[in-house]
């Protein structure tokens, strides 16, 4: 059974690599085609010879199957290639940016799962009372607001008008930090808006999941037993009910990384936050095949890894799923 | 059984939380590492950073909106203005461009031989590289040889297939002679705009596109690079104190990441902004700002007509009818919010000294268009990119053409797809915004001449002849005559309909810095891309 799962993941990985290779090549236009200009910009005009030379340099003059073969071969050596637009190693570029993205995604995940679960539990406890109904409605509506929209509102109100937060970037640039503490503070200050923008979408999901999960558990016999023992209400809620309601929530933590990452792509572009999402947008706009592939592959592999982790942990948490 | 399950859930729940926190702190640390210049070696050209710019007065630091445009050396900056201009501040060229012409720069003067195929440049004797080494004629010789094997991103040295430089030799330490394969009116400008490399650094580099070692940004320009932070898109250039030429005007230039440029400018995070026409009025009212209005002479919206696949378009009367029928003033009013400049149908912009005003102007005249069509009707597809501006413009063109009996279907696609169609000729009518109208009018040869690939299915004997002849004509009066005739034929033939040039607004606070040079004679770029915007001029 286990080897079946492994095969499964391997198959998905192969599919990902293949799609990842062909998809950017199916887009119209190529990285050397600059025939029109943006406002106030100069078009970089390449001569036909230059283009031929570049294409040869990046192996793009070879037939597609040869390019694919080369791609796989290099991939096996851990080589993600060389960005056409930025003239830099793709791996290097991704490694520089991915910590930023992971940082805001994990913070948002922590906040949304923690508060979502907490509020969900409270809501379940107060079931059918006005507070529960209000919270339910609020969460459903709130979590449906697209995060980039929320981001723009936050940017204008909290950063531009009230000046509580910086307008952009991941850190105060060119400012020497005297202590680790001021450095950390600056990092968090810059990350705050992206994080609180990313949090609501997940918050609603965790809230609803936790609420449902808790409602199921609360109707179980052992809760009645606990009540009969004369335990306090909140003790029952947190010691007995919540702990048993946790497995699906923990699995969801890993599974929600995908959508959170998708949100981060948009948010990073709103706040000019230096993560992978901002890089991805640039790469797509510039038709930088090599870079697009590198980013997509990194993201896909991360997602697969998270799914696998979710699988493993879920099995350990809930023996009913597997023996 | 049940209690056991509970137990596992609890411990694993705790473990997950612990792992989570551990991961979080690790990542915080990691983010940290990538960002402290002193640790990660992001100071790429780093000698005693920054403390030599202490002057008597408060040193001026300009901040501009930044993005990652690569390592700013000739091989690794990104294509396009933002990348090129950064490399240009670090690396000097033999000549520089001001409002009117090429001016002496690294070469303090130059001579041309009899037949114009060889130039002798006399270099500044006290020019230094940022690492303190003296710059000599050897460096220039090395540069021209090196670029032949390793073309830089912005390559002006190939014309067609050929490398235009045939020989470079150092006459003495500060004199260099460059021989070219033939005479062309643009070649002096071309060799004058080559970024000169330090031989002592690049002579050992085999693949410059991957080189980022010591000295990868050492140039001889007025500024040297102190910090490059790729993931933030941030750069810090500081004044090069030992600079031989026009002195750097500010102590440092910093490019910082910006989410919204107007917000950042209002917050004084950046010192220059290019707002849209709608936003400009609020700056015009205040004394705090200077608003400059600069037409983008070099670029123009164009309506392309494919004469290769649509035989009807080969009839010059139809092309003329289209030119008369399109209401360009209305496009400017509605799309450009009233600001814009109608382009000349002879291609050369009205700001150029080579502009011929005595050609057909094609003022809006639907009656004349109808007369030219003699009651014939047509139906075409107009391909445009999917930006709001272009699609609206396409709709306006559709309405205008409809009035004279030309039925147009607008099709909008993603901009790269449109560009691809333009290149491969898979369109009937096509709307595009393109540049290539700056500086020397030799561009007419590339667009309308024999080897043109821009205009599909059109060719004119006399145009080919004149285009070739003007490139090598050394007498200015004769050349002007040729170029005037060229423009006249082009305007009469209307191979493409020139629409209008946009206007760019620049807003800055003069109190902070007012050294911006707004116009360069080749109209190439924006004021923040001009080198002369950052040096002290008389």
């Amino acid at each position: 059974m286990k080897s079946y799962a492994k095969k499964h993941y391997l198959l998905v990985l192969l599919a990902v690599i293949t799609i990842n290779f062909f998809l950017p090549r199916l887009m119209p236009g190529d990285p050397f085609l600059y025939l029109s200009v943006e406002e106030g910009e100069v078009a970089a005009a390449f001569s036909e010879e230059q283009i031929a030379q570049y294409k040869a340099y990046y192996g793009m003059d070879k037939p597609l199957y040869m390019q694919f073969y080369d791609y796989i071969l290099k991939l096996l050596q851990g080589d993600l290639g060389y960005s056409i637009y930025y003239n830099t190693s793709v791996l290097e570029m991704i490694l520089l940016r991915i910590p930023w993205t992971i940082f805001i995604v994990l913070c948002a995940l922590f906040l949304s799962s923690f508060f979502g679960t907490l509020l969900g539990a409270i809501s379940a406890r107060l079931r059918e009372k006005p507070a529960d109904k209000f919270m339910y409605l609020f969460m459903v509506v709130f979590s449906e607001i697209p995060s980039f929209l929320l981001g723009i509102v936050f940017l204008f109100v909290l950063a531009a008008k009230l000046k509580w937060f910086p307008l952009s970037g991941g850190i105060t640039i060119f400012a020497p930090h005297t202590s680790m503490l001021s450095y950390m503070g600056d990092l968090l200050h810059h990350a705050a808006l992206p994080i609180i923008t990313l949090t609501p979408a997940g918050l609603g999901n965790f809230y609803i999941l936790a609420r449902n999960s808790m409602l199921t558990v609360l109707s179980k016999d052992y809760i009645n037993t606990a009540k009969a023992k004369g335990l306090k209400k909140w003790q029952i809620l947190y010691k007995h009910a919540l702990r048993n309601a946790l497995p699906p929530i923990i699995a969801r933590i890993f599974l929600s990384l995908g959508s959170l990452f998708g949100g981060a792509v948009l948010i990073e572009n709103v706040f000019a936050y230096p993560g992978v999402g901002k890089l991805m947008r640039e790469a797509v706009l510039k038709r930088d095949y090599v870079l697009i592939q590198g980013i997509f592959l990194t993201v896909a592999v991360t997602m697969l890894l998270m799914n696998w982790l979710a699988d493993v942990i879920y099995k350990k948490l809930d023996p009913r799923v597997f023996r | 059984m049940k209690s056991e399950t509970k137990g596992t859930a609890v411990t694993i729940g705790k473990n997950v939380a612990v792992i989570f926190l551990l991961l979080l702190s690790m990542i915080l640390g990691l983010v940290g590492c990538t960002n402290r210049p002193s640790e990660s070696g992001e100071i790429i050209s780093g000698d005693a950073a920054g403390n030599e710019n202490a002057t008597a007065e408060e040193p001026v630091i300009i901040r501009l909106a930044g993005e990652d445009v690569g390592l700013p050396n000739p091989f690794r900056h990104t294509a396009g203005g933002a990348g090129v201009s950064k490399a240009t501040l670090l690396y000097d060229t033999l000549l520089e461009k001001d409002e009117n012409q090429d001016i002496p720069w690294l070469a303090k003067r130059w001579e041309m031989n009899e037949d114009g195929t060889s130039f002798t440049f006399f270099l500044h004797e006290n020019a230094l590289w940022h690492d303190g080494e003296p710059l000599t004629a050897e460096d220039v010789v090395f540069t021209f040889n090196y670029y032949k094997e390793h073309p830089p991103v912005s390559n002006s040295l190939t014309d067609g297939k050929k490398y235009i430089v045939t020989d470079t030799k150092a006459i003495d330490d500060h004199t260099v002679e460059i021989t070219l394969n033939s005479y062309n009116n643009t070649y002096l400008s071309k060799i004058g705009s080559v970024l000169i490399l330090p031989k002592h650094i690049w002579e050992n580099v085999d693949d410059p596109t991957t080189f980022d070692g010591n000295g990868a940004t050492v140039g001889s320009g007025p500024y040297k690079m102190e910090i490059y932070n790729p993931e933030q898109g941030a750069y810090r250039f500081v004044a090069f104190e030992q600079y031989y030429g026009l002195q750097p005007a500010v102590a440092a230039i910093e490019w910082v990441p910006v989410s919204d440029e107007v917000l950042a400018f209002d917050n004084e995070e950046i010192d220059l902004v290019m707002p849209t026409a709608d936003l400009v009025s609020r700056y015009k009212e205040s004394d705090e700002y200077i608003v400059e209005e600069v037409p983008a002479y070099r670029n123009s919206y164009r309506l392309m007509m494919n004469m290769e696949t649509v035989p009807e378009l080969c009839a010059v009367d139809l092309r003329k009818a289209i030119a008369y029928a399109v209401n360009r003033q209305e496009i400017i009013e509605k799309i450009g919010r009233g600001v814009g400049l109608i382009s000349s149908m002879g291609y050369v912009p009205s700001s150029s000294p080579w502009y011929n005003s005595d050609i057909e102007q094609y003022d809006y005249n639907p009656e004349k268009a109808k007369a030219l069509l003699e009651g014939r009707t047509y139906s075409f597809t107009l391909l445009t990119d999917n930006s709001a501006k272009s699609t609206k413009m396409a709709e306006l063109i559709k309405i205008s053409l409809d009035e004279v009996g030309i039925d147009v279907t607008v099709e909008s696609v993603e901009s790269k797809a449109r560009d691809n169609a333009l290149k491969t000729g898979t369109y009937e009518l096509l709307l595009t915004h393109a540049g290539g109208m700056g500086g020397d009018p030799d561009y007419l040869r590339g667009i309308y001449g024999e080897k043109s690939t821009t205009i599909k299915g059109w060719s004119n004997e006399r145009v080919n002849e004149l285009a070739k002849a003007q490139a090598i004509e050394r007498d200015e009066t004769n050349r002007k005559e040729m170029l005037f005739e060229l423009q006249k034929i082009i305007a009469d033939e209307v191979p493409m309909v020139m629409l209008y040039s946009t206007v760019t607004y620049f807003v800055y606070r003069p109190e902070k810095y007012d050294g911006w040079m707004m116009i360069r004679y080749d109209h190439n770029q924006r004021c923040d891309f001009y080198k002369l915007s950052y040096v002290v001029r008389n």
Side-chain angles (χ1 to χ4, degrees):
Chain A
M1 231 26 197
K2 258 188 180 167
S3 72
Y4 164 76
K6 266 185 199 154
K7 261 185 210 155
H8 208 80
Y9 276 105
L10 204 68
L11 217 66
V12 173
L13 186 66
L14 268 177
V16 163
I17 291 174
T18 314
I19 295 172
N20 191 23
F21 174 81
F22 287 101
L23 208 58
R25 282 168 174 77
L26 293 175
M27 293 196 296
D30 70 51
F32 304 108
L33 187 69
Y34 283 96
L35 293 178
S36 55
V37 285
E38 302 295 323
E39 209 109 313
E41 253 289 353
V42 243
F46 292 111
S47 70
E48 289 294 320
E49 288 68 33
Q50 244 175 314
I51 291 174
Q53 199 172 357
Y54 277 121
K55 285 194 170 169
Y57 185 86
Y58 293 104
M60 280 158 55
D61 54 343
K62 294 183 191 167
L64 218 51
Y65 67 90
M66 276 302 287
Q67 290 186 40
F68 188 50
Y69 175 75
D70 286 351
Y71 176 64
I72 300 279
L73 214 64
K74 277 195 175 160
L75 213 55
L76 289 176
Q77 297 160 3
D79 182 358
L80 290 181
Y82 220 72
S83 158
I84 297 169
Y85 180 70
Y86 292 99
N87 301 312
T88 308
S89 148
V90 167
L91 189 65
E92 221 171 85
M93 294 185 82
I94 293 176
L95 285 181
L96 269 182
R97 285 156 177 90
I98 209 159
W100 298 90
T101 303
I102 296 181
F103 174 52
I104 55 169
V105 164
L106 284 193
C107 286
L109 184 64
F110 177 74
L111 290 180
S112 59
S113 59
F114 181 77
F115 286 105
T117 309
L118 192 73
L119 294 177
I122 293 172
S123 206
R125 178 66 187 76
L126 304 173
R127 190 182 176 189
E128 297 299 318
K129 293 202 174 134
D132 168 48
K133 281 183 179 164
F134 171 75
M135 213 154 25
Y136 189 80
L137 185 75
F138 179 78
M139 283 295 181
V140 169
V141 172
F142 199 52
S143 67
E144 286 307 318
I145 303 174
S147 50
F148 65 89
L149 199 69
L150 211 58
I152 293 171
V153 173
F154 284 161
L155 183 70
F156 274 81
V157 178
L158 299 182
K161 274 266 174 289
L162 298 170
K163 302 194 181 183
W164 290 352
F165 297 101
L167 276 171
S168 56
I171 192 146
T172 309
I173 313 217
F174 312 129
H177 288 282
T178 43
S179 70
M180 197 64 191
L181 208 66
S182 81
Y183 178 75
M184 289 291 209
D186 194 33
L187 264 187
L188 284 174
H189 194 208
H190 278 79
L193 275 189
I195 291 171
I196 58 173
T197 310
L198 263 180
T199 305
L203 194 66
N205 285 334
F206 280 109
Y207 165 80
I208 290 166
L209 185 71
R211 185 175 171 276
N212 285 346
S213 187
M214 279 295 275
L215 286 178
T216 319
V217 172
L218 282 178
S219 65
K220 290 276 159 68
D221 287 343
Y222 56 81
I223 298 293
N224 282 334
T225 314
K227 276 186 195 155
K229 280 202 297 194
L231 291 177
K232 285 190 186 117
K233 275 181 186 170
W234 297 107
Q235 234 173 344
I236 297 171
L237 194 62
Y238 288 105
K239 281 207 166 153
H240 295 263
L242 188 58
R243 283 176 182 181
N244 283 297
L246 269 182
I249 296 170
I250 287 170
R252 173 63 72 90
I253 289 180
F254 289 93
L255 293 173
S256 64
L257 271 171
S259 62
L260 265 176
F261 189 86
V265 170
L266 296 171
I267 293 309
E268 282 175 10
N269 284 300
V270 172
F271 294 103
Y273 199 75
V276 173
K278 192 158 164 278
L279 188 66
M280 187 195 281
R281 179 172 169 270
E282 289 299 315
V284 170
L285 282 179
K286 301 293 192 297
R287 294 294 189 276
D288 194 335
Y289 295 157
V290 190
L291 186 54
I292 297 174
Q293 277 166 11
I295 296 171
F296 282 8
L297 188 69
T298 314
V299 173
V301 169
T302 315
M303 290 307 128
L304 276 180
L305 216 64
M306 288 303 142
N307 277 351
W308 176 74
L309 264 179
D311 265 4
V312 169
I313 288 173
Y314 200 78
K315 278 171 209 165
K316 290 220 161 149
L317 286 182
D318 197 341
R320 279 167 306 180
V321 178
F322 248 80
R323 58 223 110 235
Chain B
M1 194 58 197
K2 251 179 196 163
S3 68
E4 211 181 291
T5 318
K6 253 187 274 173
T8 330
V10 173
T11 45
I12 288 185
K14 268 184 190 159
N15 284 346
V16 168
V18 169
I19 289 169
F20 194 88
L21 286 174
L22 260 172
L23 255 170
L24 211 70
S25 56
M26 242 170 67
I27 282 155
L28 254 166
L30 233 120
V31 168
C33 286
T34 59
N35 204 49
R36 264 163 299 165
S38 52
E39 274 179 32
S40 63
E42 248 140 48
I43 297 179
I44 292 187
S45 118
D47 38 355
N51 40 19
E52 64 234 75
N53 53 32
T55 44
E57 310 138 44
E58 179 84 359
V60 179
I61 297 173
I62 328 182
R63 280 188 196 86
L64 300 167
E67 54 170 339
D68 186 12
V69 289
L71 186 64
N73 75 31
F75 303 100
R76 295 189 55 170
H77 68 73
T78 57
V84 181
S85 62
K86 284 189 186 63
T88 316
L89 285 172
L90 301 179
Y91 291 83
D92 266 342
T93 48
L94 291 170
L95 311 176
E96 182 51 49
K97 297 176 171 72
D98 72 1
E99 288 88 343
N100 308 307
Q101 68 220 325
D102 286 320
I103 56 167
W105 201 254
L106 183 57
K108 48 185 182 182
R109 65 191 179 85
W110 65 93
E111 285 167 4
M112 182 170 73
N113 73 345
E114 273 296 291
D115 61 355
T117 55
S118 168
F119 292 88
T120 308
F121 293 95
F122 301 90
L123 310 180
H124 272 276
E125 283 89 7
N126 42 6
L128 290 177
W129 295 107
H130 294 158
D131 60 3
E133 296 283 322
L135 188 159
T136 69
E138 278 304 320
D139 292 303
V140 179
V141 173
F142 170 79
T143 301
F144 282 91
N145 291 331
Y146 197 74
Y147 283 153
K148 191 173 181 181
E149 301 302 317
H150 309 283
V153 175
S154 174
N155 186 6
S156 60
L157 291 176
T158 39
D159 194 357
K161 272 197 174 74
K162 277 171 282 174
Y163 194 66
I164 62 173
V165 177
T166 50
D167 189 35
T168 318
K169 61 173 186 271
I171 308 282
D172 62 41
D173 265 4
H174 298 100
T175 314
V176 63
E177 188 187 275
I178 297 176
T179 312
L180 306 170
N181 60 4
S182 62
Y183 177 80
N184 179 297
N185 284 311
T186 62
Y187 284 1
L188 174 63
S189 257
K190 281 184 173 167
I191 49 178
S193 64
V194 165
L195 302 174
I196 304 299
L197 296 169
K199 182 183 177 189
H200 62 279
I201 286 165
W202 295 91
E203 63 186 344
N204 304 317
V205 177
D206 292 329
D207 186 0
T209 48
T210 56
F211 176 65
D212 57 5
N214 243 346
T217 57
V218 165
S220 61
Y223 291 88
K224 51 185 188 171
M225 189 167 88
E226 188 181 282
I227 295 171
Y228 164 41
N229 185 324
E231 79 270 25
Q232 302 274 357
Y235 296 79
R236 181 181 160 93
F237 288 4
V238 295
F240 180 40
E241 298 288 291
Q242 294 97 28
Y243 192 58
Y244 64 89
L246 298 182
Q247 286 306 294
V250 292
I253 314 166
E254 295 178 347
W255 285 269
V256 294
V258 157
S259 48
D260 183 283
E261 293 199 12
V262 172
L263 287 181
F265 180 74
D266 290 351
N267 270 8
E268 302 194 29
E269 286 180 17
I270 54 173
D271 299 318
L272 180 79
V273 72
M274 284 162 283
T276 56
D278 302 321
L279 286 172
V280 156
S281 53
R282 49 190 282 234
Y283 297 114
K284 278 186 174 159
E285 285 155 14
S286 165
D287 292 341
E288 200 189 331
Y289 309 105
I290 286 188
V291 177
E292 300 264 10
E293 195 179 308
V294 183
Y297 295 110
R298 190 179 189 270
N299 306 328
S300 170
Y301 278 98
R302 301 140 191 224
L303 179 65
M304 312 294 297
M305 297 168 285
N306 194 338
M307 290 161 263
E308 208 166 71
T309 54
V310 189
E312 294 101 305
L313 286 167
C314 292
V316 70
D317 280 350
L318 172 57
R319 300 202 298 270
K320 278 187 178 171
I322 294 176
Y324 281 119
V326 175
N327 190 345
R328 296 184 284 173
Q329 192 55 48
E330 186 196 18
I331 293 178
I332 292 177
E333 296 301 331
K334 292 192 174 156
I335 310 290
R337 307 279 170 148
V339 286
L341 198 76
I342 290 183
S343 305
S344 164
M345 212 56 84
Y347 197 80
V348 178
S350 59
S351 60
S352 167
W354 305 94
Y355 165 66
N356 181 1
S357 60
D358 187 24
I359 55 171
E360 182 53 57
Q361 299 293 338
Y362 292 95
D363 294 328
Y364 175 56
N365 192 341
E367 292 314 312
K368 197 161 181 179
K370 275 184 206 160
L372 280 164
L373 290 176
E374 294 170 337
R376 288 185 296 263
T377 56
Y378 298 91
S379 173
F380 299 117
T381 307
L382 170 59
L383 193 67
T384 171
D385 71 81
N386 54 13
S387 67
K389 213 170 165 178
S390 297
T391 41
K392 276 185 212 156
M393 203 181 305
E395 290 298 333
L396 284 178
I397 292 172
K398 174 192 161 78
I399 293 168
S400 309
L401 291 182
D402 211 33
E403 276 170 29
V404 300
I406 301 172
D407 176 47
V408 171
T409 314
V410 174
E411 190 185 323
S412 70
V413 294
E414 198 263 340
S415 72
K416 284 274 180 178
R418 191 265 327 266
D419 287 358
N420 202 44
L422 180 57
K423 191 180 167 196
T424 52
T426 44
Y427 65 90
E428 294 180 359
L429 299 178
L430 183 145
L431 183 65
T432 183
H433 186 213
M437 301 157 68
D440 192 281
D442 190 40
Y443 46 65
L444 287 177
R445 186 165 56 105
I447 304 280
Y448 299 95
E450 207 167 356
K451 285 177 183 156
S452 164
T453 49
T454 319
I455 301 165
K456 302 289 178 197
W458 179 86
S459 175
N460 181 298
E461 272 303 309
R462 181 69 184 146
V463 167
N464 293 348
E465 214 172 276
L466 283 168
K468 232 188 241 170
Q470 62 75 30
I472 50 171
E473 176 56 57
R474 293 174 61 192
D475 182 274
E476 200 160 307
T477 331
N478 284 348
R479 187 173 183 224
K480 201 160 192 167
E481 234 168 71
M482 294 175 179
L483 285 164
F484 272 38
E485 192 189 338
L486 258 178
Q487 291 174 60
K488 197 163 169 44
I489 305 174
I490 291 167
D492 286 339
E493 279 277 320
V494 213
M496 60 181 163
V497 178
M498 304 297 291
L499 299 170
Y500 86 102
S501 297
T502 54
V503 165
T504 310
Y505 288 101
F506 295 93
V507 181
Y508 60 91
R509 296 181 189 84
E511 208 156 284
K512 177 76 184 280
Y513 184 70
D514 65 352
W516 302 108
M517 174 170 98
M518 282 298 154
I519 302 269
R520 201 169 78 177
Y521 86 87
D522 62 342
H523 300 302
N524 209 23
Q525 295 158 338
R526 319 188 313 212
C527 67
D528 57 329
F529 290 171
Y530 298 144
K531 192 171 190 166
L532 292 181
S533 280
Y534 304 96
V535 293
V536 182
R537 305 173 71 200
N538 304 324

